Amino acid sequence: VFQLSVPLNFLGSVYRDLKQALLDMENLFQLQDVKVKIQDKPDAKPLQFQGGEIKFENVTFGYHPSRKILQNATFTIPAGQKVAIVGPSGSGKSTILRLLFRFYDVESGRILVDGQDIRDVSIESLRKSIGVVPQDTPLFNDTIRNNIRYGRLEATDAEVEEVTRRARLSNLVEQLPEGYETKVGERGLMISGGEKQRLAISRVLLKKSPIIFFDEATSALDTETEKALLQNIHSLIREQNSTSVFIAHRLRTVAETDKIIVLKDGAVLEEGSHQKLLADKNSFYYNLWESQENLALAEELEEEAQVIE
Ligand code: ADP
Ligand code: MG
């Protein structure tokens, strides 16, 4: 038994490292089409984390030279604050996240985390500080417990269950005959888009990163679940003092943030608190809000009608 346990443990740790690497690389984003390999500078230093301020300074970037996605984008996400990035679909919201993660480097301008140009720090240290709930979360062919634990491999069962409760997924898991040991993924239980999102949120909450991005992370949830879940997320993030960024095009989910950055045509069009942006009836934000409120009202009426049926 002793002889066997050594190589098995070794293999186990390699396997775990591989999975961790996959997660940190955020396989998470559809990375298949990333051709340019970004590498550390020879003298790259670990990121000196000081609270998690993120600055984009005149950032210009395009996936193809002929088409700029971001054009002189300038904004600040203050340390420890809760910030929203909103804008029409295709306006470059997820691109901001990919640039911050250094899947690509900027064409001009710079991105700073706590005052350090991210091209000068090691990619590993940068990615370690940032948790992401991507727009589309991959599940591993493994148990629910292990899928969540990928957020932080050394977390205890109790910690896994606690975040699952906070992500409002625990009731559902506990109803399954095999509970947390239920296999999910392609070869396991098929779970809905909303369940997958709650699993991804559990995972990132377990990671306890000082910076957390939620990229349309609650888009598949119904209004009530989304509201309750966001409250839990906000309170947990306050406890951890993390800087949090909510990328969304549904504005109802971002009204309670400290600051909203409105992106349009690759640049920051407006920014400020929800109240401030709404106060200007000529603002793009005001118009977005108005049109969505009417839509939301219609949706809610529809949801109610379904309940009555
Ligand atoms: P958002 O998240 O705001 O909806 P994205 O940042 O994902 O927008 O995308 C912005 C634009 O960049 C879109 O027009 C999209 O089609 C394009 N885009 C995104 N990823 C790639 C890629 N890997 N290669 C080429 N174009 C891309
Ligand atoms: Mg997006």
Side-chain angles (χ1 to χ4, degrees):
V1 175
F2 176 71
Q3 271 180 324
L4 256 181
S5 76
V6 174
L8 274 186
N9 280 344
F10 171 71
L11 273 182
S13 87
V14 169
Y15 186 52
R16 279 155 54 121
D17 285 353
L18 193 71
K19 279 204 170 136
Q20 188 65 54
L22 273 177
L23 262 190
D24 288 343
M25 289 285 296
E26 320 270 307
N27 180 13
L28 303 185
F29 298 105
Q30 302 101 5
L31 262 187
Q32 300 89 313
D33 52 354
V34 177
K35 285 171 199 92
V36 194
K37 254 224 142 101
I38 304 287
Q39 283 179 335
D40 276 352
K41 275 188 180 171
D43 59 344
K45 294 178 190 65
L47 174 71
Q48 299 292 312
F49 192 84
Q50 286 149 18
E53 182 202 64
I54 301 166
K55 258 183 193 293
F56 274 54
E57 288 182 353
N58 295 306
V59 169
T60 295
F61 170 79
Y63 296 95
H64 302 289
S66 56
R67 184 166 166 244
K68 305 285 178 244
I69 304 298
L70 294 179
Q71 291 242 51
N72 276 317
T74 297
F75 58 87
T76 301
I77 296 165
Q81 284 202 4
K82 195 160 65 179
V83 171
I85 301 177
V86 305
S89 172
S91 57
K93 303 184 295 295
S94 297
T95 301
I96 286 176
L97 194 45
R98 291 182 201 116
L99 289 174
L100 180 64
F101 246 71
R102 282 199 77 207
F103 289 137
Y104 304 90
D105 272 338
V106 300
E107 256 168 58
S108 59
R110 52 184 198 154
I111 302 172
L112 308 169
V113 174
D114 287 333
Q116 299 145 79
D117 190 318
I118 61 171
R119 288 169 296 192
D120 297 335
V121 304
S122 76
I123 294 175
E124 192 199 353
S125 67
L126 175 73
R127 291 183 184 161
K128 237 181 154 152
S129 305
I130 308 170
V132 179
V133 181
Q135 247 177 307
D136 189 25
T137 300
L139 291 181
F140 297 111
N141 287 308
D142 205 335
T143 62
I144 292 178
R145 187 185 301 285
N146 286 340
N147 263 285
I148 295 170
R149 211 200 298 276
Y150 295 143
R152 180 160 48 89
L153 293 172
E154 62 282 7
T156 64
D157 283 355
E159 285 176 308
V160 169
E161 285 160 30
E162 168 67 11
V163 292
T164 315
R165 193 179 60 72
R166 298 263 196 154
R168 298 189 75 85
L169 188 63
S170 57
N171 284 348
L172 194 126
V173 175
E174 282 156 16
Q175 277 168 26
L176 297 167
E178 292 179 89
Y180 284 89
E181 310 315 319
T182 308
K183 287 241 163 64
V184 290
E186 276 160 45
R187 280 177 268 133
L189 177 76
M190 292 297 288
I191 67 174
S192 73
E195 289 158 4
K196 220 169 145 178
Q197 289 189 329
R198 281 178 282 169
L199 195 148
I201 290 168
S202 308
R203 206 184 253 171
V204 90
L205 293 179
L206 195 66
K207 188 174 171 184
K208 289 196 172 141
S209 329
I211 299 173
I212 311 182
F213 272 79
F214 297 86
D215 193 355
E216 315 261 5
T218 54
S219 59
L221 301 179
D222 63 84
T223 318
E224 280 311 303
T225 310
E226 181 175 56
K227 241 193 196 152
L229 175 51
L230 281 172
Q231 267 175 13
N232 287 354
I233 291 177
H234 291 329
S235 73
L236 200 72
I237 283 172
R238 251 198 315 275
E239 286 167 32
Q240 290 175 203
N241 265 325
S242 296
T243 302
S244 56
V245 184
F246 294 83
I247 295 177
H249 67 254
R250 266 209 289 188
L251 300 187
R252 269 181 305 168
T253 62
V254 304
E256 282 169 51
T257 50
D258 301 312
K259 174 176 177 174
I260 297 168
I261 296 166
V262 184
L263 211 65
K264 192 168 178 289
D265 301 327
V268 176
L269 185 65
E270 295 160 358
E271 61 181 301
S273 68
H274 176 69
Q275 300 312 333
K276 183 197 150 208
L277 291 172
L278 271 197
D280 175 7
K281 296 208 163 25
N282 293 319
S283 72
F284 183 67
Y285 186 82
Y286 179 86
N287 285 297
L288 268 180
W289 178 262
E290 279 295 295
S291 59
Q292 289 196 8
E293 273 300 275
N294 291 333
L295 239 162
L297 210 63
E299 264 173 33
E300 258 161 49
L301 287 174
E302 201 176 301
E303 273 175 30
E304 272 165 34
Q306 277 166 357
V307 172
I308 292 164
E309 277 169 24

